[in-house]
Amino acid sequence: MSTNTPYNPQQLTIGGDMTVNRLGYGAMHLTGHGMWGPPEDPDQAVAVLRRAVELGVTFIDTADSYGPGDNERIIRKALHPYPDDLVISTKGGLLRSGRDDWLEDKGAPYITPCGRPEYLRQQVELSLFNLGVERIDLYQLHSIDPTVPLADQFGELVRLQQEGKIRHIGLSGQPGVTLDDLAHANAHAEITAVENLYNIVDRAGEDVVRHAEQHNVAFIPWFPLGHGGLVGPDSPLRPIAEQYGATPAQLALAWLLHHSPATLLIPGTTSVSHLELNMKATGLHFSASDMEAITAAVDAAEVPVWRPEPAVA
């Protein structure tokens, strides 16, 4: 962070020059069922995005595979021309086979990466078009393709960066980027953000959180609310959250904000009222002893976790 910028615990700087508020918004669910097709209620999707920005969101996460393309286009419809301080992060490198391929109950493959350089270039160009921008602030490889040399995957992204079409490069993982993945990626590009499955219950990527913290890398937890399972009417977090005058979602988000200064949150919702409740998580303040007590209570609850699995070849 610039020495001329006062430290703000609610903000984070990506790549040394892009400061955002740490409670952002994940737009994935503003698409049709199974993240396929346009939103069921486009006007509501637009309202949610506009309200998010009104409430101080300066970081929105999307991907070319959400729709595909529809998610980026609804963001453009709602917010273009974009506020100067709004950062839109998109991702590329996952294939879609149809509307059922991300639905657990269909038994279809969840993850099919494609990191061929010509494909990544095509997807960057499509994202630029869909979003209506000349440069993508943060472009993340959505998943490492094990069939393509990493040098080729990141080499193409670096070329696009040199051409001025990408500002910063990140790496997403399905379900997570390992320290080895990050080291190998950094050999070919400067990785300024890493996006892993991580939340108050599923903390399998703790070593990557600490690495991000120590190396000024933004850590973006996806499924920060545990695939929705942590925040429903029967949420196992409810008794704990009530002790702090919070909803389960607010507790889970505030815990992530307190857990590490590197976390950049992207909770998603299709409801303006839920969005407004989520944003109040920044008003919760936990002491170190609070954090220890909350973590111990969550661990004692033995909440089941769910993680997507790569497609079987």
Side-chain angles (χ1 to χ4, degrees):
M1 183 177 291
S2 168
T3 55
N4 295 322
T5 303
Y7 173 66
N8 183 339
Q10 299 293 353
Q11 293 184 323
L12 176 150
T13 300
I14 302 170
D17 64 356
M18 200 162 65
T19 299
V20 297
N21 293 333
R22 291 176 57 212
L23 186 49
Y25 177 74
M28 180 176 73
H29 289 285
L30 298 182
T31 47
H33 184 58
M35 271 56 74
W36 187 269
E40 294 181 4
D41 186 341
D43 291 342
Q44 177 71 4
V46 167
V48 169
L49 286 161
R50 290 179 177 170
R51 184 61 176 147
V53 172
E54 289 174 356
L55 292 171
V57 165
T58 59
F59 183 87
I60 293 176
D61 177 87
T62 183
D64 62 18
S65 54
Y66 305 159
D70 294 281
N71 203 249
E72 293 175 330
R73 289 190 288 271
I74 198 68
I75 291 171
R76 178 178 183 173
K77 178 180 179 180
L79 300 173
H80 194 277
Y82 303 111
D84 291 341
D85 62 349
L86 181 63
V87 170
I88 298 176
S89 170
T90 194
K91 303 179 285 292
L94 282 187
L95 298 176
R96 296 299 304 270
S97 64
R99 65 180 62 252
D100 294 339
D101 62 0
W102 285 3
L103 296 176
E104 296 173 72
D105 59 352
K106 300 295 183 180
Y110 186 82
I111 302 161
T112 306
C114 181
R116 291 173 56 185
E118 60 271 31
Y119 177 73
L120 293 176
R121 177 169 287 272
Q122 169 188 279
Q123 295 310 106
V124 167
E125 294 290 355
L126 285 173
S127 289
L128 288 167
F129 177 78
N130 287 334
L131 290 168
V133 295
E134 295 183 357
R135 181 178 67 173
I136 296 166
D137 289 325
L138 175 62
Y139 191 86
Q140 299 189 73
L141 182 65
H142 208 156
S143 187
I144 292 172
D145 185 343
T147 70
V148 177
L150 208 58
D152 293 348
Q153 297 177 67
F154 281 105
E156 192 64 26
L157 296 183
V158 168
R159 280 187 287 275
L160 287 157
Q161 186 179 45
Q162 292 168 343
E163 293 168 16
K165 297 178 179 181
I166 293 173
R167 184 173 181 179
H168 292 296
I169 295 172
L171 176 58
S172 179
Q174 308 292 324
V177 176
T178 67
L179 288 179
D180 282 346
D181 291 335
L182 201 50
H184 292 148
N186 271 312
H188 306 290
E190 181 183 359
I191 305 302
T192 60
V194 58
E195 188 166 327
N196 275 7
L197 194 165
Y198 187 88
N199 54 62
I200 191 172
V201 169
D202 188 342
R203 306 192 297 275
E206 186 65 31
D207 55 347
V208 180
V209 176
R210 296 307 163 192
H211 175 91
E213 185 178 312
Q214 294 162 11
H215 293 85
N216 296 317
V217 172
F219 183 88
I220 306 170
W222 59 271
F223 284 176
L225 301 178
H227 201 231
L230 299 181
V231 296
D234 300 321
S235 169
L237 300 184
R238 188 169 300 280
I240 306 168
E242 288 175 349
Q243 297 177 42
Y244 297 89
T247 68
Q250 290 167 348
L251 179 84
L253 295 173
W255 185 92
L256 285 167
L257 289 171
H258 284 74
H259 185 59
S260 169
T263 55
L264 172 54
L265 311 192
I266 52 168
T269 179
T270 61
S271 162
V272 170
S273 60
H274 287 165
L275 169 72
E276 292 172 343
L277 286 172
N278 287 348
M279 294 302 295
K280 291 181 180 179
T282 58
L284 290 175
H285 301 288
F286 299 144
S287 66
S289 59
D290 288 335
M291 286 292 289
E292 291 177 4
I294 292 167
T295 305
V298 169
D299 289 346
E302 298 183 341
V303 181
V305 299
W306 177 83
R307 294 190 146 227
E309 296 296 336
V312 178

Coordinates of all heavy atoms in Angstrom, one line a residue, residues 219-286:
F219 N -6.3 -12.5 -0.8 CA -6.8 -13.9 -0.7 C -8.4 -13.7 -0.8 O -9.0 -13.1 0.1 CB -6.4 -14.5 0.6 CG -7.0 -15.9 0.7 CD1 -6.2 -17.0 0.2 CD2 -8.2 -16.2 1.3 CE1 -6.7 -18.3 0.3 CE2 -8.7 -17.5 1.4 CZ -7.9 -18.5 0.9
I220 N -8.9 -14.3 -1.9 CA -10.4 -14.1 -2.1 C -11.1 -15.5 -1.8 O -10.9 -16.4 -2.6 CB -10.6 -13.7 -3.6 CG1 -9.8 -12.5 -3.9 CG2 -12.1 -13.5 -3.8 CD1 -9.8 -12.1 -5.4
P221 N -11.8 -15.6 -0.7 CA -12.4 -16.8 -0.4 C -13.7 -17.0 -1.2 O -14.6 -16.1 -1.1 CB -12.8 -16.7 1.1 CG -12.1 -15.4 1.6 CD -11.9 -14.6 0.4
W222 N -13.8 -18.0 -2.0 CA -15.1 -18.3 -2.6 C -15.9 -19.3 -1.8 O -15.3 -20.0 -1.0 CB -15.0 -18.7 -4.1 CG -14.2 -19.9 -4.5 CD1 -12.9 -20.0 -4.7 CD2 -14.7 -21.3 -4.7 NE1 -12.5 -21.3 -5.1 CE2 -13.6 -22.1 -5.1 CE3 -16.0 -21.8 -4.6 CZ2 -13.7 -23.4 -5.3 CZ3 -16.1 -23.2 -4.9 CH2 -15.0 -24.0 -5.2
F223 N -17.2 -19.3 -1.9 CA -18.1 -19.9 -0.9 C -17.8 -19.4 0.5 O -17.7 -20.2 1.4 CB -18.0 -21.5 -1.0 CG -18.6 -22.1 -2.2 CD1 -18.5 -23.5 -2.4 CD2 -19.4 -21.4 -3.1 CE1 -19.1 -24.1 -3.5 CE2 -20.0 -22.0 -4.2 CZ -19.9 -23.3 -4.3
P224 N -17.7 -18.1 0.7 CA -17.4 -17.6 2.0 C -18.6 -17.9 3.0 O -18.4 -17.9 4.2 CB -17.3 -16.1 1.8 CG -18.1 -15.8 0.6 CD -17.9 -17.0 -0.3
L225 N -19.7 -18.2 2.4 CA -20.9 -18.7 3.3 C -21.1 -20.1 3.1 O -22.3 -20.6 3.4 CB -22.1 -17.8 2.9 CG -21.9 -16.3 3.1 CD1 -23.2 -15.5 2.7 CD2 -21.5 -16.0 4.6
G226 N -20.1 -20.9 2.7 CA -20.2 -22.3 2.7 C -21.3 -22.9 1.7 O -22.1 -23.7 2.1
H227 N -21.3 -22.4 0.5 CA -22.3 -22.9 -0.5 C -23.7 -22.7 0.0 O -24.6 -23.4 -0.4 CB -22.0 -24.4 -0.8 CG -22.6 -24.9 -2.1 ND1 -23.4 -26.0 -2.1 CD2 -22.5 -24.5 -3.3 CE1 -23.7 -26.3 -3.4 NE2 -23.2 -25.3 -4.1
G228 N -23.9 -21.7 0.8 CA -25.2 -21.4 1.3 C -25.6 -22.2 2.6 O -26.6 -21.8 3.3
G229 N -24.9 -23.2 2.9 CA -25.3 -24.1 3.9 C -25.1 -23.6 5.3 O -25.6 -24.1 6.3
L230 N -24.3 -22.5 5.4 CA -24.0 -21.9 6.7 C -25.0 -20.9 7.2 O -25.0 -20.4 8.3 CB -22.6 -21.3 6.7 CG -21.4 -22.2 6.5 CD1 -20.1 -21.4 6.5 CD2 -21.4 -23.4 7.5
V231 N -25.9 -20.5 6.3 CA -26.7 -19.3 6.6 C -28.2 -19.5 6.5 O -29.0 -18.5 6.6 CB -26.3 -18.1 5.6 CG1 -24.9 -17.7 5.9 CG2 -26.5 -18.5 4.2
G232 N -28.7 -20.7 6.3 CA -30.1 -20.9 6.1 C -30.8 -20.9 7.5 O -30.3 -20.6 8.5
P233 N -32.1 -21.2 7.5 CA -33.0 -21.1 8.7 C -32.4 -22.0 9.8 O -32.6 -21.7 11.0 CB -34.3 -21.6 8.2 CG -34.4 -21.3 6.7 CD -33.0 -21.5 6.3
D234 N -31.9 -23.1 9.4 CA -31.3 -24.1 10.4 C -29.8 -24.0 10.5 O -29.1 -25.0 10.8 CB -31.7 -25.5 10.0 CG -33.2 -25.7 9.9 OD1 -33.9 -25.1 10.8 OD2 -33.7 -26.4 9.0
S235 N -29.3 -22.8 10.2 CA -27.8 -22.7 10.3 C -27.2 -23.1 11.6 O -27.7 -22.7 12.6 CB -27.5 -21.2 10.0 OG -26.1 -21.0 10.3
P236 N -26.2 -23.9 11.5 CA -25.5 -24.3 12.7 C -24.7 -23.2 13.4 O -24.3 -23.3 14.5 CB -24.5 -25.4 12.2 CG -24.3 -25.1 10.8 CD -25.6 -24.5 10.3
L237 N -24.6 -22.1 12.6 CA -23.9 -20.9 13.2 C -24.9 -20.0 14.0 O -24.4 -19.1 14.7 CB -23.3 -20.1 12.1 CG -22.2 -20.7 11.2 CD1 -21.7 -19.7 10.3 CD2 -21.1 -21.3 12.1
R238 N -26.2 -20.2 13.9 CA -27.1 -19.3 14.5 C -26.9 -19.1 16.0 O -26.9 -18.0 16.5 CB -28.6 -19.7 14.2 CG -29.6 -18.7 14.6 CD -31.0 -19.1 14.0 NE -31.0 -19.1 12.6 CZ -31.0 -18.0 11.8 NH1 -31.1 -16.8 12.4 NH2 -31.0 -18.1 10.5
P239 N -26.8 -20.2 16.8 CA -26.6 -20.0 18.2 C -25.4 -19.2 18.6 O -25.4 -18.4 19.5 CB -26.6 -21.4 18.8 CG -27.2 -22.3 17.7 CD -26.9 -21.7 16.4
I240 N -24.3 -19.4 17.8 CA -23.1 -18.6 18.0 C -23.3 -17.2 17.6 O -22.9 -16.3 18.4 CB -21.9 -19.3 17.2 CG1 -21.8 -20.8 17.5 CG2 -20.6 -18.5 17.5 CD1 -20.9 -21.5 16.6
A241 N -23.9 -17.0 16.4 CA -24.1 -15.6 15.9 C -25.0 -14.8 16.9 O -24.7 -13.6 17.1 CB -24.7 -15.7 14.6
E242 N -26.0 -15.4 17.5 CA -26.9 -14.7 18.4 C -26.2 -14.1 19.6 O -26.6 -13.1 20.1 CB -28.0 -15.6 18.8 CG -29.0 -15.8 17.6 CD -30.1 -16.8 18.0 OE1 -30.0 -17.5 19.0 OE2 -31.1 -16.9 17.2
Q243 N -25.1 -14.7 20.0 CA -24.3 -14.2 21.1 C -23.7 -12.9 20.8 O -23.3 -12.1 21.7 CB -23.2 -15.2 21.5 CG -23.8 -16.6 22.0 CD -22.6 -17.5 22.3 OE1 -21.6 -17.2 22.9 NE2 -22.8 -18.8 21.9
Y244 N -23.5 -12.6 19.5 CA -22.9 -11.4 19.1 C -23.8 -10.4 18.4 O -23.4 -9.4 17.8 CB -21.7 -11.7 18.2 CG -20.6 -12.5 18.9 CD1 -20.7 -13.9 18.9 CD2 -19.6 -11.9 19.6 CE1 -19.7 -14.6 19.6 CE2 -18.6 -12.6 20.2 CZ -18.7 -14.0 20.2 OH -17.7 -14.7 20.9
G245 N -25.1 -10.7 18.5 CA -26.1 -9.9 17.9 C -26.1 -9.8 16.4 O -26.3 -8.8 15.8
A246 N -25.7 -11.0 15.8 CA -25.5 -11.0 14.4 C -26.3 -12.1 13.7 O -26.7 -13.1 14.4 CB -24.0 -11.2 14.1
T247 N -26.4 -12.1 12.4 CA -27.0 -13.2 11.7 C -25.8 -14.2 11.4 O -24.7 -13.8 11.5 CB -27.6 -12.7 10.3 OG1 -26.5 -12.3 9.5 CG2 -28.6 -11.6 10.6
P248 N -26.2 -15.4 11.0 CA -25.1 -16.4 10.7 C -24.2 -15.8 9.6 O -23.0 -16.0 9.6 CB -25.8 -17.6 10.3 CG -27.1 -17.6 11.1 CD -27.5 -16.1 11.1
A249 N -24.8 -15.2 8.5 CA -24.0 -14.7 7.4 C -23.1 -13.6 7.9 O -21.9 -13.5 7.5 CB -24.9 -14.2 6.3
Q250 N -23.6 -12.7 8.7 CA -22.8 -11.6 9.3 C -21.6 -12.1 10.1 O -20.5 -11.6 10.0 CB -23.6 -10.6 10.1 CG -24.6 -9.8 9.3 CD -25.6 -9.1 10.1 OE1 -25.8 -9.4 11.3 NE2 -26.4 -8.2 9.5
L251 N -21.9 -13.1 10.9 CA -20.8 -13.8 11.7 C -19.7 -14.3 10.8 O -18.5 -14.1 11.0 CB -21.4 -14.8 12.6 CG -20.4 -15.6 13.5 CD1 -20.1 -14.8 14.7 CD2 -20.8 -17.0 13.8
A252 N -20.2 -15.1 9.8 CA -19.2 -15.8 8.9 C -18.3 -14.8 8.2 O -17.1 -15.0 8.0 CB -19.9 -16.7 8.0
L253 N -19.0 -13.7 7.7 CA -18.2 -12.7 7.0 C -17.3 -11.9 7.9 O -16.1 -11.6 7.5 CB -19.2 -11.8 6.2 CG -20.0 -12.4 5.1 CD1 -21.1 -11.4 4.6 CD2 -19.2 -12.9 4.0
A254 N -17.8 -11.5 9.0 CA -17.0 -10.7 10.0 C -15.8 -11.5 10.4 O -14.7 -11.0 10.6 CB -17.8 -10.2 11.1
W255 N -16.0 -12.8 10.6 CA -14.9 -13.7 11.0 C -13.8 -13.7 10.0 O -12.6 -13.6 10.3 CB -15.4 -15.1 11.3 CG -14.4 -16.1 11.8 CD1 -14.1 -16.4 13.1 CD2 -13.5 -16.9 11.0 NE1 -13.1 -17.3 13.2 CE2 -12.7 -17.6 11.9 CE3 -13.2 -17.0 9.7 CZ2 -11.7 -18.5 11.5 CZ3 -12.2 -17.9 9.2 CH2 -11.5 -18.6 10.2
L256 N -14.2 -13.8 8.7 CA -13.2 -13.8 7.6 C -12.4 -12.4 7.6 O -11.2 -12.4 7.4 CB -13.9 -14.0 6.3 CG -14.3 -15.5 6.0 CD1 -15.2 -15.5 4.8 CD2 -13.1 -16.4 5.8
L257 N -13.2 -11.3 7.8 CA -12.5 -10.0 7.8 C -11.5 -9.9 8.9 O -10.4 -9.3 8.8 CB -13.5 -8.9 7.9 CG -14.4 -8.7 6.7 CD1 -15.5 -7.7 7.0 CD2 -13.6 -8.2 5.5
H258 N -11.8 -10.5 10.1 CA -10.9 -10.4 11.2 C -9.8 -11.4 11.2 O -8.7 -11.2 11.7 CB -11.7 -10.6 12.5 CG -12.5 -9.5 13.0 ND1 -13.7 -9.1 12.3 CD2 -12.3 -8.6 14.0 CE1 -14.2 -8.0 13.0 NE2 -13.4 -7.7 13.9
H259 N -10.0 -12.5 10.4 CA -9.1 -13.6 10.5 C -7.7 -13.3 9.8 O -6.7 -13.7 10.3 CB -9.7 -14.8 9.7 CG -8.9 -16.1 9.8 ND1 -8.5 -16.7 11.0 CD2 -8.3 -16.8 8.8 CE1 -7.8 -17.7 10.7 NE2 -7.6 -17.9 9.4
S260 N -7.8 -12.5 8.8 CA -6.5 -12.0 8.1 C -6.8 -10.8 7.4 O -7.8 -10.6 6.7 CB -6.1 -13.1 7.1 OG -5.0 -12.6 6.3
P261 N -5.8 -9.8 7.4 CA -6.0 -8.6 6.6 C -5.9 -8.8 5.1 O -6.1 -7.9 4.3 CB -4.8 -7.7 7.1 CG -3.8 -8.7 7.6 CD -4.6 -9.8 8.2
A262 N -5.5 -10.0 4.7 CA -5.4 -10.3 3.3 C -6.7 -10.7 2.6 O -6.8 -10.8 1.4 CB -4.4 -11.4 3.0
T263 N -7.7 -11.0 3.4 CA -9.0 -11.5 2.9 C -9.8 -10.4 2.2 O -9.9 -9.3 2.7 CB -9.9 -12.2 3.9 OG1 -10.1 -11.3 5.0 CG2 -9.2 -13.5 4.5
L264 N -10.3 -10.8 1.0 CA -11.1 -9.9 0.2 C -12.4 -10.7 -0.1 O -12.3 -11.7 -0.9 CB -10.4 -9.5 -1.1 CG -11.2 -8.7 -2.2 CD1 -11.8 -7.5 -1.6 CD2 -10.2 -8.4 -3.3
L265 N -13.5 -10.3 0.5 CA -14.7 -11.2 0.5 C -15.6 -10.9 -0.7 O -15.8 -9.8 -1.1 CB -15.5 -11.0 1.8 CG -14.7 -11.1 3.1 CD1 -15.7 -11.2 4.3 CD2 -13.7 -12.3 3.1
I266 N -16.3 -12.0 -1.2 CA -17.2 -11.9 -2.4 C -18.5 -12.7 -2.1 O -18.8 -13.5 -2.9 CB -16.5 -12.3 -3.7 CG1 -15.9 -13.7 -3.5 CG2 -15.4 -11.3 -4.1 CD1 -15.5 -14.4 -4.8
P267 N -19.2 -12.4 -1.0 CA -20.5 -13.0 -0.8 C -21.4 -12.7 -1.9 O -21.5 -11.5 -2.4 CB -20.9 -12.5 0.5 CG -20.3 -11.1 0.7 CD -18.9 -11.3 0.0
G268 N -22.2 -13.6 -2.3 CA -23.2 -13.4 -3.4 C -24.6 -13.6 -2.9 O -24.9 -14.3 -1.9
T269 N -25.5 -12.8 -3.4 CA -26.9 -13.0 -3.1 C -27.7 -12.4 -4.3 O -27.2 -11.5 -5.0 CB -27.3 -12.2 -1.8 OG1 -28.7 -12.3 -1.6 CG2 -26.9 -10.8 -1.9
T270 N -29.0 -12.8 -4.4 CA -29.8 -12.2 -5.5 C -30.9 -11.3 -4.8 O -31.8 -10.9 -5.5 CB -30.6 -13.4 -6.2 OG1 -31.3 -14.1 -5.3 CG2 -29.6 -14.3 -7.0
S271 N -30.7 -11.1 -3.5 CA -31.7 -10.3 -2.8 C -31.1 -9.0 -2.3 O -30.0 -9.0 -1.6 CB -32.2 -11.1 -1.6 OG -32.8 -10.3 -0.6
V272 N -31.8 -7.9 -2.5 CA -31.3 -6.6 -2.0 C -31.3 -6.6 -0.5 O -30.3 -6.1 0.2 CB -32.1 -5.4 -2.5 CG1 -31.8 -4.1 -1.8 CG2 -31.9 -5.2 -4.0
S273 N -32.3 -7.2 0.2 CA -32.3 -7.2 1.6 C -31.2 -8.0 2.2 O -30.6 -7.6 3.2 CB -33.7 -7.7 2.1 OG -34.0 -9.0 1.7
H274 N -30.9 -9.2 1.6 CA -29.8 -10.0 2.1 C -28.5 -9.3 1.9 O -27.6 -9.3 2.7 CB -29.8 -11.3 1.4 CG -30.9 -12.3 1.8 ND1 -31.2 -13.4 1.1 CD2 -31.7 -12.2 2.9 CE1 -32.2 -14.0 1.8 NE2 -32.5 -13.3 2.8
L275 N -28.3 -8.6 0.8 CA -27.1 -7.8 0.5 C -26.9 -6.8 1.6 O -25.8 -6.6 2.1 CB -27.3 -7.1 -0.9 CG -26.2 -6.1 -1.2 CD1 -24.9 -6.7 -1.5 CD2 -26.7 -5.2 -2.4
E276 N -28.0 -6.1 1.9 CA -27.9 -5.0 3.0 C -27.5 -5.6 4.3 O -26.7 -5.0 5.0 CB -29.2 -4.3 3.0 CG -29.5 -3.4 1.8 CD -30.9 -2.8 1.8 OE1 -31.7 -3.3 2.5 OE2 -31.1 -1.9 0.9
L277 N -28.0 -6.8 4.6 CA -27.7 -7.4 5.9 C -26.2 -7.9 5.8 O -25.5 -7.7 6.8 CB -28.6 -8.6 6.1 CG -30.0 -8.3 6.6 CD1 -30.8 -9.6 6.6 CD2 -30.0 -7.7 8.0
N278 N -25.8 -8.4 4.7 CA -24.4 -8.9 4.6 C -23.4 -7.7 4.8 O -22.4 -7.8 5.5 CB -24.1 -9.5 3.2 CG -24.7 -10.9 3.1 OD1 -25.2 -11.5 4.1 ND2 -24.8 -11.4 1.9
M279 N -23.7 -6.6 4.2 CA -22.8 -5.4 4.3 C -22.6 -4.9 5.7 O -21.6 -4.3 6.0 CB -23.3 -4.3 3.4 CG -23.3 -4.6 1.9 SD -21.7 -5.1 1.3 CE -20.8 -3.5 1.5
K280 N -23.6 -5.2 6.6 CA -23.5 -4.8 8.0 C -22.4 -5.6 8.7 O -22.1 -5.2 9.9 CB -24.8 -4.9 8.7 CG -25.8 -3.9 8.2 CD -27.2 -4.0 8.9 CE -28.2 -3.0 8.4 NZ -29.5 -3.1 9.1
A281 N -21.9 -6.6 8.1 CA -20.8 -7.4 8.8 C -19.6 -6.5 9.1 O -18.8 -6.8 10.0 CB -20.4 -8.6 7.9
T282 N -19.4 -5.5 8.3 CA -18.2 -4.6 8.6 C -18.3 -3.9 9.9 O -17.4 -3.3 10.4 CB -18.0 -3.6 7.4 OG1 -19.2 -2.8 7.3 CG2 -17.7 -4.3 6.1
G283 N -19.6 -3.8 10.4 CA -19.8 -3.1 11.7 C -19.5 -4.0 12.9 O -19.6 -3.5 14.1
L284 N -19.3 -5.3 12.7 CA -19.0 -6.2 13.8 C -17.5 -6.2 14.2 O -16.7 -6.3 13.3 CB -19.4 -7.6 13.5 CG -20.9 -7.9 13.3 CD1 -21.1 -9.3 12.8 CD2 -21.6 -7.7 14.7
H285 N -17.2 -6.1 15.4 CA -15.8 -6.0 15.9 C -15.6 -7.1 16.9 O -16.2 -7.1 18.0 CB -15.5 -4.6 16.4 CG -15.8 -3.5 15.4 ND1 -14.9 -3.3 14.3 CD2 -16.8 -2.6 15.3 CE1 -15.4 -2.3 13.6 NE2 -16.5 -1.8 14.2
F286 N -14.6 -7.9 16.6 CA -14.3 -9.0 17.5 C -12.9 -8.8 18.1 O -12.0 -8.5 17.4 CB -14.3 -10.4 16.7 CG -15.6 -10.7 16.1 CD1 -15.7 -11.4 14.9 CD2 -16.8 -10.4 16.8 CE1 -16.9 -11.7 14.3 CE2 -18.0 -10.8 16.2 CZ -18.1 -11.4 15.0

